[in-house]
Amino acid sequence: MRDATPGQDQSVHLKDYAPVPVTVTHVDLHFRLDPLATRVQARLTCERRGPGAMVLNGEDLETVSLAIDGTPLGADAYTLDGDTLTLHETPDAFLLETEVTIAPETNKALSGLYMSNGMYCTQCEAEGFRRITWMLDRPDVMATYDVEIDADLPVLLSNGDEVGQGRWHDPWPKPTYLFALVAGNLVATSDSFTTMEGREVALNIWVRPGDEGRTAYAMDSLKRSMAWDERVYGRAYDLSVFNIVAVDDFNMGAMENKGLNIFNSRYVLASPETATDADYANIERIVAHEYFHNWTGNRITCRDWFQLCLKEGLTVFRDQQFSQDERGAAVQRIGDVMALRARQFREDAGPLAHPVRPESFVEINNFYTSTIYEKGAEVIGMLRTFVGAEGYDAGVALYFQRHDGDAATIEDWLRCFEEATGRDLSQFKLWYSQAGTPRVKVEEHWDGSTYRIELAQHVPDTPGQTDRAPMVIPLAFGLLDASGAEIRATEVHALTKVTDSLSFDLPARPVLSILRGFSAPVILGFEQSDADRLTLLAHDTDPFARWEAGRALAKDRLMRALTQDAPFDDAWLDAVATLATDDTAAPAFRALALALPSEEDLAGSLHVAGVVPDPDRIYAMRRSAQLAIAERLSPAMSDLRAACTTPGPYDPCAEDAGKRALSGRLLGLRTLIDGGEAARAAYAAADNMTDRMAAFACLLEANDDEIAAAFEADWKHDRLVMDKWFTAQVIHAAPRDAVAVAERLVRHPDFDASNPNRFRAVVGALAAGNPAGFHNPSGAGYAFLARHLLALDPVNPQTAARLSQAFDTWRRYDADRQALIETELKRMAGTEGLSRDLDEMVGRMLP
Ligand code: B3K
Ligand code: ZN
């Protein structure tokens, strides 16, 4: 239980937003760095904007002095109360000078100024700046900054342009959350970029000495991102330097601090020997995402944290567009939809469901969710579909022009589209306030000459929300004839009412291809015939719909196997084999088509169908389906695998990565038949980490007793590779062994709970990567997770709270499992001194 005044509501509400009475327009900071006693002197240029006292935020600060316009503050001029400093009476314009000391070395929460491997670094979003000095720590207070860093270290970085050794000036007004400082013994890979405005920008990627050979791909991604944002959105970079720093201890992926992005080292460092194709793709995507924030987030920021999707949803949408352009639209879109369904649909279906723009929170760090990010991106995509590509471009252009330099709201954003296109977006706006994944029911009717589609929408109840209004649901669809030829190209029907229908006069009953490109984040209730799905799988011109048809067939088989013990039929296995061997289809697409719905997906679908999921049975049934596919493909296997070889040295390009993805998938199937023989050969022959990891995973699945030790001996020295080693052993353990494997790994000398990557590599892997292992009927998986979350919480509450989300599906399971999970949730809730972060998460998950 958190120490809080009993009965006091700790929530912050959107409806309570009020601007500050006194603002800060310029911040002048002087740092004298020291691990245990860093001195921070701040000079804040303050201006009155309305009536009321100035209330500054501060956390874990040792206050040394306070003065206004050079005069020290008398004891009655201010109140220091916990985490706030209230100045009772202030002039209309004044200079507030403060001096505090902080201890970066002991800051293991990794928020504010902290140390990682001897390097000083910062993380201020969302509310970390208050752990550095007294300030109005909220996004609608935007100031210019001058920073001076005093330390005996070779590299001293902050935001903006360098104006002297360790001295930085940031001319662009920014909120506190974009502040950054880095100091340490670092080396840079440098390059440059000339903007479309002719500005020469120095680009540096700073890493620890020894890592400089692994920065090339991040640099290449950065330059392509800069060119793309100019070409597609007309946005150019606006400072003389852009710095990226790689840090080993980091709570999330990366951070878009103005001119000084700080990255988790796993999303910067890559070499063919140490990084997989997925790592390369993530580096490209995250470098782009943080760079794109320079306009969508930094130049135009959020008025308050309730508007978080304004920058995150839009920036995810932009990075998805970029990845589609760089890597191929079809495969990228399918991957993005798979991730949305796995994380966001799950979130929307459980106790943590919340709208894209939440109305209240206790700890904002708990709201950096898949709903804000990925559903937020889908909402932008729907907006673009709804107003058309030209309307979207016009709305975005107006947004940049009108709001540059502002802390904006969703209302500001939507108004730009209404004005630019003349469309009324009031119903569309419900996507920001109504939580839950809408269901769209589709029924077809054919009377011999008219084909009619009946549509009905419904938004299920979510915590605190019932009886929702109908939403605007853009449904992209096309029609095929029975031979698979397209008879109507894609058009978009906006479903705006609860029910609606569409009719077409046609000579024969068509095949409907609906929700093309996944045009809306909804769950379709459409009992389409096998014959129609097979036609779509073979012929649909929309690659997403084609993949989806295969997915629906596979899911249907697995669901029937799980609920009725139905065998896997030849028609389905033949269709899978036909697609797998279709060399006119891209290997990456075929790899995706061979992937069965995940255990988690099946558990969620069973729950929706009113069946209690049994994780062990799901695991076993998926394995039998894989075995059936493996047997069906067996005669073609050697030829198929041979066709996946990539010529020449490793190249992370999408085309080669697609071949490796298919090759890895085939090796997994092969291993089910040969017990690991092919995988052993593949492991020995691998000359890159993608192939090596694929073979390693197969060998773990095949219970090879020696492979983990062999891998460790080769890679012990490499932290990022060892993270993979930890994770793979947990997720590829047999369900009954998974907890024991995780228990063994947390006792490994290289396990370090205070490093978030390593903590996630073991504890997160069990909670999210081995469902049947986590849901072990003994409850050992639940106890393991709760124990580690409770141990981490006092040290790093953000990461502990984030991983607690693994419990959010607990209501799906049988009474015994529910009781076991409830015990753990209650144990956590009842723990003295629980962080605000974990307390809020556990409280939302308990009834
Ligand atoms: N804006 C950061 C996320 C900050 C998370 C704070 N708990 C990274 C990003 O979305 O680009
Ligand atoms: Zn972001």
Side-chain angles (χ1 to χ4, degrees):
M1 229 168 307
R2 193 152 42 86
D3 306 320
T5 318
Q8 191 179 310
D9 182 8
Q10 303 270 310
S11 319
V12 188
H13 297 270
L14 168 59
K15 64 176 170 33
D16 294 339
Y17 172 82
V20 284
V22 178
T23 197
V24 175
T25 56
H26 183 71
V27 176
D28 195 325
L29 296 172
H30 183 279
F31 287 85
R32 198 187 60 210
L33 296 179
D34 180 273
L36 293 173
T38 286
R39 191 189 64 179
V40 187
Q41 290 169 300
R43 292 154 56 87
L44 310 180
T45 305
C46 305
E47 272 174 26
R48 180 161 293 285
R49 292 284 157 86
M54 185 180 193
V55 183
L56 298 105
N57 311 96
E59 217 178 277
D60 291 344
L61 307 174
E62 199 70 53
T63 303
V64 178
S65 67
L66 302 168
I68 284 185
D69 292 332
T71 309
L73 286 189
D76 53 354
Y78 67 92
T79 309
L80 255 177
D81 182 11
D83 293 343
T84 57
L85 165 65
T86 306
L87 305 181
H88 299 309
E89 274 175 35
T90 53
D92 285 347
F94 59 99
L95 187 71
L96 173 65
E97 291 173 87
T98 66
E99 182 174 332
V100 301
T101 57
I102 52 178
E105 169 103 316
T106 59
N107 177 1
K108 300 292 175 202
L110 315 183
S111 163
L113 177 67
Y114 65 95
M115 298 192 76
S116 172
N117 288 321
M119 174 203 310
Y120 292 86
C121 62
T122 53
Q123 172 54 38
C124 292
E125 189 175 2
E127 297 180 333
F129 192 85
R130 62 189 63 185
R131 294 161 60 85
I132 295 175
T133 191
W134 290 108
M135 180 57 184
L136 302 173
D137 192 12
R138 44 187 279 173
D140 59 346
V141 173
M142 297 174 82
T144 51
Y145 279 66
D146 277 294
V147 176
E148 192 171 345
I149 310 164
D150 179 1
D152 191 15
L153 288 163
V155 177
L156 307 170
L157 307 173
S158 191
N159 317 88
D161 297 309
E162 190 166 22
V163 290
Q165 168 64 6
R167 291 177 43 234
W168 294 82
H169 171 70
D170 188 355
W172 297 106
K174 66 169 178 291
T176 46
Y177 82 86
L178 292 172
F179 169 81
L181 176 154
V182 169
N185 179 21
L186 297 164
V187 286
T189 306
S190 302
D191 206 326
S192 70
F193 183 88
T194 307
T195 69
M196 61 186 186
E197 293 155 355
R199 181 195 290 270
E200 181 83 359
V201 183
L203 310 177
N204 302 305
I205 299 186
W206 298 92
V207 297
R208 288 196 286 155
D211 284 339
E212 54 278 35
R214 299 198 208 175
T215 55
Y217 195 71
M219 183 64 90
D220 178 53
S221 304
L222 174 60
K223 290 198 290 184
R224 284 186 284 122
S225 306
M226 295 176 87
W228 186 91
D229 212 14
E230 292 189 346
R231 201 170 63 243
V232 179
Y233 278 84
R235 300 294 105 198
Y237 188 61
D238 52 7
L239 289 165
S240 63
V241 60
F242 188 83
N243 286 309
I244 287 180
V245 181
V247 174
D248 289 337
D249 299 285
F250 208 64
N251 275 335
M252 64 263 177
M255 178 63 211
E256 70 264 23
N257 315 300
K258 183 78 186 187
L260 176 52
N261 285 191
I262 299 183
F263 272 61
N264 186 323
S265 50
R266 67 177 294 201
Y267 296 122
V268 174
L269 304 177
S271 68
E273 299 73 40
T274 59
T276 61
D277 289 328
D279 293 326
Y280 277 93
N282 277 329
I283 290 170
E284 180 182 64
R285 174 177 65 83
I286 296 175
V287 165
H289 179 97
E290 305 312 331
Y291 176 73
F292 296 157
H293 266 314
N294 191 54
W295 274 93
T296 50
N298 301 4
R299 286 284 285 259
I300 306 178
T301 195
C302 303
R303 186 192 72 174
D304 53 70
W305 291 122
F306 297 101
Q307 321 294 329
L308 185 56
C309 66
L310 180 69
K311 75 177 178 81
E312 295 305 347
L314 177 55
T315 306
V316 171
F317 179 68
R318 276 152 49 72
D319 82 53
Q320 290 178 347
Q321 287 184 304
F322 168 78
S323 296
Q324 289 193 12
D325 288 352
E326 300 291 302
R327 297 189 158 251
V331 167
Q332 183 64 34
R333 182 63 183 148
I334 294 167
D336 288 338
V337 174
M338 287 172 79
L340 179 85
R341 285 176 169 162
R343 294 199 289 266
Q344 202 283 321
F345 280 22
R346 165 184 168 145
E347 190 164 80
D348 247 354
L352 300 176
H354 57 275
V356 168
R357 180 167 70 177
E359 264 141 38
S360 75
F361 60 77
V362 173
E363 170 51 62
I364 183 56
N365 284 317
N366 287 336
F367 283 83
Y368 285 74
T369 59
S370 186
T371 297
I372 308 278
Y373 276 64
E374 277 83 33
K375 187 172 180 181
E378 291 301 316
V379 172
I380 309 287
M382 282 189 290
L383 177 64
R384 186 170 185 274
T385 304
F386 190 60
V387 302
E390 278 176 25
Y392 175 78
D393 290 347
V396 169
L398 181 58
Y399 177 68
F400 287 131
Q401 181 215 320
R402 180 180 289 172
H403 292 291
D404 186 10
D406 286 353
T409 61
I410 293 302
E411 282 73 15
D412 294 331
W413 163 256
L414 290 178
R415 200 170 304 119
C416 290
F417 289 85
E418 290 194 317
E419 287 182 25
T421 66
R423 300 288 291 267
D424 175 359
L425 296 175
S426 45
Q427 190 188 5
F428 186 86
K429 198 178 168 200
L430 290 170
W431 281 105
Y432 289 96
S433 56
Q434 293 195 162
T437 308
R439 309 288 199 265
V440 175
K441 199 160 162 231
V442 181
E443 272 175 10
E444 304 174 276
H445 301 276
W446 170 247
D447 67 2
S449 61
T450 304
Y451 174 67
R452 207 174 75 246
I453 311 169
E454 296 286 347
L455 300 166
Q457 62 162 300
H458 163 70
V459 186
D461 293 350
T462 52
Q465 291 193 344
T466 50
D467 295 334
R468 261 73 71 78
M471 329 256 298
V472 180
I473 302 179
L475 294 170
F477 72 97
L479 299 176
L480 281 66
D481 69 15
S483 75
E486 187 166 74
I487 52 172
R488 269 186 98 111
T490 303
E491 55 195 276
V492 178
H493 174 71
L495 173 63
T496 56
K497 297 176 287 187
V498 175
T499 57
D500 200 355
S501 76
L502 294 169
S503 329
F504 309 87
D505 290 329
L506 295 169
R509 186 190 158 282
V511 176
L512 174 62
S513 165
I514 193 162
L515 206 64
R516 283 186 159 178
F518 199 67
S519 58
V522 299
I523 294 175
L524 221 51
F526 181 22
E527 286 177 21
Q528 200 166 23
S529 69
D530 270 8
D532 283 4
R533 282 178 176 157
L534 288 166
T535 304
L536 296 171
L537 177 63
H539 303 290
D540 203 332
T541 53
D542 182 80
F544 172 81
R546 194 176 169 207
W547 170 82
E548 180 80 330
R551 188 72 162 184
L553 286 167
K555 193 145 168 188
D556 179 66
R557 269 38 184 203
L558 281 157
M559 291 289 281
R560 279 199 276 137
L562 285 163
T563 54
Q564 301 156 32
D565 275 319
F568 301 118
D569 55 295
D570 286 335
W572 174 54
L573 293 169
D574 286 344
V576 174
T578 304
L579 188 58
T581 50
D582 174 5
D583 53 21
T584 64
F589 181 81
R590 286 150 67 198
L592 287 169
L594 270 179
L596 293 174
S598 69
E599 291 165 57
E600 176 54 38
D601 183 348
L602 292 166
S605 301
L606 285 171
H607 177 66
V608 169
V611 181
V612 175
D614 172 350
D616 290 310
R617 189 169 154 75
I618 295 174
Y619 172 84
M621 202 54 83
R622 255 184 112 252
R623 293 278 281 210
S624 345
Q626 282 165 336
L627 184 61
I629 294 173
E631 280 164 351
R632 184 60 52 122
L633 284 179
S634 196
M637 189 57 93
S638 332
D639 288 351
L640 273 175
R641 290 191 53 222
C644 291
T645 46
T646 47
Y650 175 88
D651 181 340
C653 70
E655 199 186 330
D656 283 7
K659 288 188 179 168
R660 283 185 291 267
L662 181 56
S663 164
R665 188 79 66 197
L666 294 168
L667 189 64
L669 295 172
R670 177 87 204 137
T671 303
L672 293 172
I673 292 180
D674 77 2
E677 198 185 316
R680 229 160 267 124
Y683 188 85
D687 66 354
N688 62 77
M689 190 47 85
T690 308
D691 291 343
R692 185 171 296 112
M693 279 309 294
F696 183 49
C698 291
L699 292 171
L700 291 169
E701 296 266 349
N703 297 316
D704 183 308
D705 301 333
E706 285 151 27
I707 197 65
F711 189 112
E712 183 183 16
D714 288 344
W715 294 103
K716 211 175 167 32
H717 57 280
D718 192 299
R719 198 163 173 157
L720 294 176
V721 177
M722 283 302 282
D723 285 335
K724 299 182 197 305
W725 177 82
F726 277 100
T727 298
Q729 291 180 80
V730 177
I731 65 179
H732 297 293
R736 66 179 175 285
D737 302 333
V739 179
V741 169
E743 289 285 8
R744 177 165 54 72
L745 291 174
V746 293
R747 289 194 301 271
H748 188 284
D750 291 340
F751 180 77
D752 171 9
S754 71
N755 174 253
N757 287 0
R758 194 52 56 86
F759 187 84
R760 284 186 285 257
V762 181
V763 182
L766 181 68
N770 192 329
F774 177 56
H775 291 287
N776 189 309
S778 69
Y782 310 143
F784 175 87
L785 177 60
R787 176 159 56 86
H788 286 282
L789 294 181
L790 284 175
L792 184 65
D793 188 52
V795 182
N796 185 341
Q798 260 184 57
T799 291
R802 177 150 289 253
L803 266 64
S804 72
Q805 185 157 4
F807 285 122
D808 76 338
T809 54
W810 68 288
R811 290 300 209 175
R812 279 183 196 159
Y813 293 97
D814 52 87
D816 290 347
R817 283 188 171 92
Q818 285 199 32
L820 290 162
I821 299 180
E822 190 169 9
T823 305
E824 298 302 335
L825 287 171
K826 287 195 166 146
R827 192 155 70 83
M828 291 196 280
T831 300
E832 200 62 39
L834 204 65
S835 70
R836 185 167 65 189
D837 310 56
L838 189 53
D839 189 65
E840 181 186 27
M841 292 297 281
V842 169
R844 285 163 69 204
M845 285 188 280
L846 278 168

